[in-house]
Amino acid sequence: MNNRIRCDLCGEEITGEPYIVEGRQLCQSCYDYDTLRCDCCGERILASHEVTDDHISICENCYEVRYHRCERCNCLVHDSDVFWEHDDCYCRSCYEEITDRCIKDYYYKPSPIFNKMPEESRVRYYGIELEIDCGGRDEDNADSLYNIANREGDLLYIKSDSSLDEGMELVSHPCSVQFHKRLFPWKEIMKEAVELGYRSHNTSTCGLHIHIGRNDLGETPEAQEEVISRIMFFFESHWNEIFKFSRRGEYAVNRWASRYGYKDRPKDILEDAKKNRKGRYTCVNITNSSTVEIRIFKGTLKWNTFMAAIELVDSICDNAIRLSDEELHKQSWIDFVLSIDPDYTELIKYLKEKRLYVNEPVEDEEEV
């Protein structure tokens, strides 16, 4: 009878008693060189099964039960030492750096702070994402823009964005149109950004995204969906005018803000959008639970163009709330522009510049 025992790792014959690790019989050499002790529970484990970083080696069971990996530096962090930022976990060092630095991670999302003019009662709120590029992912530059924006309170935060070459994303808290126009220091922010070397329109990377609060579009989810469907219908019905307004090229629109396709009934466009799963890279992004995002506009550091986009979106929302499906179906582009609030002077001026208004165009100013 053959009682020889062979090592389960190297296959060599074992003389004497084998070492048992994770149920395997090992020779002296494999035990010495191919196993280690878990720094957490002390159990001997196979080196091939260790979970490790530069400081600690643990068994898979201890990792599953007691540890996480830092999202930023990938080090192992015991549950008692984890710092959470939304659904992401960090070690103390990374957490302190992330929360102290001005340029936050892409997924950073603080609780919204809503701003309106003191005399305003019920308003719609718009959150803005303005991408700027070519000036670097520079903390000093970000601090400068952040300090201009937040002299009077928390209005804006700044995030990194992998779609940008050497830039960042300026994100506003939700504000009414009049607050964006009269109290938000967008003019100063844009002037400083240009002086720091940033560009937005004159890049191939930057967009201007406008978020509309769903709750501002109707009292119930059903009413909100009706308005959203009419917003989508407006974009499809007047696609040529919207495309010209956006300043984007065809490739960029197809890549970052594609259209859904025209249908006679607004509800059909909405239902089709829910089924075809195009994701968020659409002209009217409906994948967010709390907002509808208008993504079609190219970025800009020209204040008139920037405010015109916000005033246009607000006018489209008014239009979708005020008109029935039948009335919207009959509405021409000229009918729409004639219904715009005359106080929306930046929008009217921009429409004239782009020859999208009913009277003589005005001279177009250079974009930045």
Side-chain angles (χ1 to χ4, degrees), residues 77-235:
V77 189
H78 192 276
D79 283 352
S80 60
D81 297 322
V82 165
F83 289 80
W84 290 95
E85 180 75 12
H86 303 289
D87 294 330
D88 296 330
C89 65
Y90 297 93
C91 66
R92 177 186 291 274
S93 176
C94 287
Y95 180 79
E96 289 177 350
E97 185 171 344
I98 286 170
T99 52
D100 286 344
R101 71 186 185 186
C102 191
I103 303 176
K104 306 297 185 184
D105 283 349
Y106 177 74
Y107 294 103
Y108 175 79
K109 188 175 182 181
S111 297
I113 300 170
F114 294 86
N115 300 281
K116 64 180 181 179
M117 301 299 295
E119 66 273 15
E120 291 183 305
S121 53
R122 186 177 179 85
V123 298
R124 280 189 295 275
Y125 293 95
Y126 299 96
I128 309 301
E129 296 171 352
L130 174 60
E131 296 170 342
I132 60 176
D133 211 343
C134 306
R137 294 187 182 94
D138 186 280
E139 283 289 329
D140 290 338
N141 289 351
D143 283 339
S144 179
L145 298 174
Y146 180 88
N147 291 334
I148 291 171
N150 296 305
R151 282 193 299 246
E152 303 296 330
D154 291 330
L155 299 180
L156 177 139
Y157 53 97
I158 301 175
K159 302 196 303 182
S160 61
D161 191 326
S162 60
S163 69
L164 304 175
D165 295 327
E166 287 294 330
M168 48 191 143
E169 184 176 49
L170 311 181
V171 186
S172 82
H173 284 283
C175 303
S176 70
V177 174
Q178 290 304 316
F179 193 96
H180 277 298
K181 191 171 186 177
R182 294 160 60 186
L183 290 186
F184 206 118
W186 283 115
K187 284 184 180 179
E188 293 177 69
I189 293 168
M190 292 175 181
K191 182 176 183 292
E192 179 71 6
V194 171
E195 290 178 356
L196 290 171
Y198 291 97
R199 297 295 180 265
S200 192
H201 173 83
N202 293 326
T203 71
S204 61
T205 54
C206 294
L208 166 61
H209 306 155
I210 301 176
H211 285 261
I212 312 160
R214 284 178 179 260
N215 289 339
D216 297 331
L217 298 177
E219 296 294 334
T220 65
E222 293 75 21
Q224 293 164 18
E225 293 245 306
E226 284 191 11
V227 172
I228 292 167
S229 73
R230 291 197 281 269
I231 292 172
M232 298 171 80
F233 181 84
F234 183 91
F235 272 77

